[in-house]
Amino acid sequence: MPPRKRIGDILLENGFITEAQLQVALEEQKKTGELLGSILFGLGFISQKALFKVLSATQQDSRDAPGREDPGQEVPEEIDYLVQQSSAIFQKNADLHKAELDSPHSPLVNLVEKILINGIRRGATDVHINPDVKGVRIRYRVDGVLHHGMFLPSKLLNPVVSRIKVMGRMNIAETRVPQDGGAEFFYKNRGLDLRISSFPVLGGENIVIRILDKSQVLVGLESLGFLDDDIDRINEALALPYGMILVTGPTGSGKTTTLYSFLSMINSVSRNMFTIEDPVEYHLTLARQAQVNVKAGLTFATGLRSILRQDPDVILVGEMRDSETAELAVRAALTGHLVFSTLHTNDAVSTIVRLTDIGIDPFLVSSTLDTIVAQRLARVLCPQCKEPLLEDDPAYRAIGADQKNQVLYRSTGCRSCDNSGFKGRTVIYEILKVDRRIRELINSRASIDDIRNAAIENGFRGMSEIGLKKVRQGITTLEEVRSIVRTAL
């Protein structure tokens, strides 16, 4: 029996796509692991009608062939996926009245709910609704990477955006300036907070929805990915009666999750704990939690100033965005409070320089700062489909190992991980303990290199070292570590 042709080859032979378009789709498939037909459709290279025609014919040929082998079971899954997202289902609902924007029985409401529920089921942190040349592209950020969701007709953009704005209590008549909003969404008895942002771009308004699950259970440091000896160091810092502990990293690096894990470890009836955040992402028993409301005049600085009159023992400041907030937090730590906060810096050592750059006196920094945790999130290899690397793979030479003593793994992709090859994330971090020597260097305004060298002499391990350790343990890949951490490998 002749070998079965791939969908891409059939589409190319019938003139539905070009060779260049096929190559673009194949490159995208290498990155995402998605089905080729879904990618071609999502990129706008092929219409649903043409794709359905080819898929149906291929499926019929597959059924007629005796003793067939189905490489990847691509066709049935793709038909089921694309039929569910068919724009024909919603085509007749494009011209909607205002009353339908908030009607619980409106097809538009059902469509927006389907978009959100699909993201929640996939474990997405963000839902992206992007105007595109040929339609509306829906994407989901899962484990830090954007994945294609569905593709809708262009005429559905404005109704979908209007419905989301109504949910977020935003001005649906204003399309020329960015807006922010928020909504509560319930799914399977779970209350989810949605942070909605609109931004005017060519072709319409771009929408990004951050999904926050306040009911999610806080996990321990070991489950987050911290190593045993580093957990001991963190426990020592948490036992202090006062001082400052900072967690740094870019947006989406898991800083808040780590901070709340810290708080949960010291939370007790004997401690008065306050938080000021934007937004409140977790509910913590016994803690008094407040959310920033700029319109009402409640900022990080004003909130922190008032919290200090509430007899607190522990204070969490969601982010030190300006010099006023940073100075208040430092002085709170200096006057007998244990203060936790975050900063956007690239590594632990540069955090010290950042504090002095925004106007904090070096003496105050050295007197209050105790521990800095800088972190990133790396995707974890799917345990169901990860495969050992070949003996001659360059990764072995890069980390100085061989297959006799160490087995490294690569991602492949399966149904369990949605064909991405990864499932979940682990923290890649570095912990800087501010000891006597480093305090002296801070007071003398020493350079970043001098402070880093002193830390290394005292056992400091950088993020690249922790990342490579997790590569050797088979938790993640060298490529993943390289993508999030500066390393010479």
Side-chain angles (χ1 to χ4, degrees):
M1 185 180 70
R4 177 182 165 193
K5 291 184 178 179
R6 287 287 190 179
I7 289 174
D9 296 329
I10 297 173
L11 291 169
L12 185 63
E13 289 177 2
N14 286 273
F16 290 118
I17 59 174
T18 65
E19 178 67 35
Q21 289 173 332
L22 177 59
Q23 292 305 316
V24 170
L26 289 173
E27 286 298 318
E28 183 72 12
Q29 187 181 46
K30 291 179 183 178
K31 299 175 184 176
T32 65
E34 292 185 42
L35 299 172
L36 184 62
S38 297
I39 294 172
L40 288 166
F41 174 65
L43 292 172
F45 291 162
I46 185 171
S47 67
Q48 284 183 322
K49 183 178 179 181
L51 184 54
F52 285 168
K53 181 179 179 181
V54 173
L55 289 172
S56 299
T58 308
Q59 188 182 33
Q60 186 61 45
D61 292 343
S62 177
R63 286 172 176 168
D64 294 342
R68 65 185 178 91
E69 292 184 5
D70 186 3
Q73 296 182 338
E74 187 175 53
V75 175
E77 285 185 16
E78 207 151 19
I79 289 178
D80 179 67
Y81 181 81
L82 293 176
V83 166
Q84 290 181 34
Q85 318 307 343
S86 174
S87 61
I89 298 174
F90 312 110
Q91 189 79 15
K92 61 182 180 181
N93 301 309
D95 299 320
L96 298 161
H97 299 291
K98 279 189 176 182
E100 292 183 281
L101 291 175
D102 208 21
S103 168
H105 304 295
S106 165
L108 177 63
V109 172
N110 293 335
L111 170 59
V112 173
E113 285 189 354
K114 177 179 282 189
I115 292 172
L116 293 172
I117 290 172
N118 191 25
I120 294 167
R121 286 175 175 170
R122 295 174 70 166
T125 56
D126 301 89
V127 178
H128 290 241
I129 300 173
N130 311 133
D132 213 327
V133 177
K134 295 186 177 182
V136 184
R137 187 183 305 279
I138 312 297
R139 295 188 292 174
Y140 301 102
R141 187 174 294 280
V142 181
D143 292 336
V145 178
L146 281 173
H147 297 268
H148 171 70
M150 62 181 80
F151 204 77
L152 301 175
S154 297
K155 65 190 302 182
L156 282 178
L157 175 63
N158 290 336
V160 167
V161 169
S162 295
R163 166 58 188 162
I164 292 172
K165 282 186 169 183
V166 168
M167 292 175 62
R169 296 177 292 278
M170 301 155 71
N171 185 356
I172 64 173
E174 180 57 78
T175 62
R176 300 164 300 174
V177 296
Q179 294 186 61
D180 294 317
E184 194 170 18
F185 187 79
F186 290 92
Y187 175 67
K188 290 188 175 180
N189 298 320
R190 292 162 55 198
L192 302 162
D193 277 357
L194 307 180
R195 294 174 64 187
I196 304 169
S197 171
S198 70
F199 190 84
V201 297
L202 292 178
E205 288 184 273
N206 193 77
I207 298 288
V208 176
I209 304 171
R210 170 66 58 87
I211 302 173
L212 301 173
D213 186 357
K214 292 184 180 180
S215 65
Q216 57 189 317
V217 179
L218 289 170
V219 297
L221 296 180
E222 186 175 353
S223 298
L224 293 179
F226 286 91
L227 303 177
D228 291 342
D229 52 344
D230 290 322
I231 293 176
D232 292 338
R233 298 171 65 189
I234 292 172
N235 284 329
E236 290 177 7
L238 296 178
L240 295 172
Y242 60 88
M244 181 180 291
I245 298 173
L246 299 180
V247 179
T248 73
T251 301
S253 60
K255 299 186 297 295
T256 303
T257 301
T258 298
L259 276 179
Y260 263 94
S261 294
F262 292 171
L263 292 183
S264 66
M265 294 168 66
I266 62 173
N267 193 19
S268 70
V269 178
S270 61
R271 279 183 159 171
N272 192 19
M273 188 178 294
F274 275 85
T275 77
I276 176 74
E277 306 166 70
D278 185 22
V280 175
E281 296 187 26
Y282 296 90
H283 286 303
L284 189 62
T285 305
L286 298 177
R288 265 60 62 193
Q289 297 171 270
Q291 183 160 311
V292 167
N293 187 338
V294 177
K295 291 182 179 179
L298 180 58
T299 64
F300 281 114
T302 58
L304 180 54
R305 190 176 287 110
S306 297
I307 286 173
L308 290 173
R309 295 192 287 269
Q310 292 282 313
D311 186 31
D313 297 304
V314 179
I315 303 172
L316 166 63
V317 182
E319 182 182 344
M320 295 197 294
R321 294 179 177 174
D322 51 55
S323 58
E324 183 183 11
T325 305
E327 184 169 353
L328 283 168
V330 167
R331 293 193 179 278
L334 193 64
T335 54
H337 306 90
L338 186 57
V339 179
F340 297 84
S341 192
T342 70
L343 270 177
H344 290 281
T345 57
N346 291 325
D347 54 55
V349 177
S350 62
T351 302
I352 295 171
V353 177
R354 170 66 177 153
L355 287 172
T356 57
D357 284 347
I358 62 178
I360 307 302
D361 188 276
F363 171 76
L364 292 177
V365 175
S366 65
S367 301
T368 57
L369 191 56
D370 180 81
T371 302
I372 305 170
V373 180
Q375 67 177 58
R376 304 287 190 276
L377 291 176
R379 292 181 295 169
V380 175
L381 282 164
C382 174
Q384 303 295 326
C385 63
K386 67 178 183 180
E387 294 181 352
L389 292 175
L390 299 176
E391 292 184 19
D392 59 349
D393 194 282
Y396 285 103
R397 293 192 298 274
I399 68 171
D402 59 75
Q403 200 175 35
K404 294 179 181 178
N405 303 316
Q406 184 72 60
V407 178
L408 305 183
Y409 293 87
R410 69 181 183 91
S411 61
T412 54
C414 65
R415 185 186 297 271
S416 176
C417 61
D418 201 16
N419 291 312
S420 68
F422 298 90
K423 195 170 185 179
R425 290 191 286 181
T426 185
V427 66
I428 305 295
Y429 61 90
E430 59 188 26
I431 300 175
L432 177 63
K433 175 70 175 178
V434 182
D435 57 14
R436 183 184 58 80
R437 173 59 181 151
I438 291 179
R439 295 186 197 280
E440 293 173 353
L441 292 172
I442 294 173
N443 289 331
S444 64
R445 297 181 181 271
S447 66
I448 290 178
D449 289 338
D450 289 340
I451 296 174
R452 181 177 288 108
N453 291 334
I456 292 173
E457 290 176 4
N458 198 33
F460 173 78
R461 296 183 297 180
M463 279 186 278
S464 60
E465 185 176 345
I466 299 296
L468 293 180
K469 188 168 186 176
K470 295 194 175 186
V471 172
R472 294 188 180 97
Q473 292 174 344
I475 296 173
T476 189
T477 65
L478 181 60
E479 291 76 13
E480 183 70 10
V481 172
R482 283 171 168 168
S483 70
I484 61 172
V485 177
R486 283 187 178 181
T487 175
L489 298 176

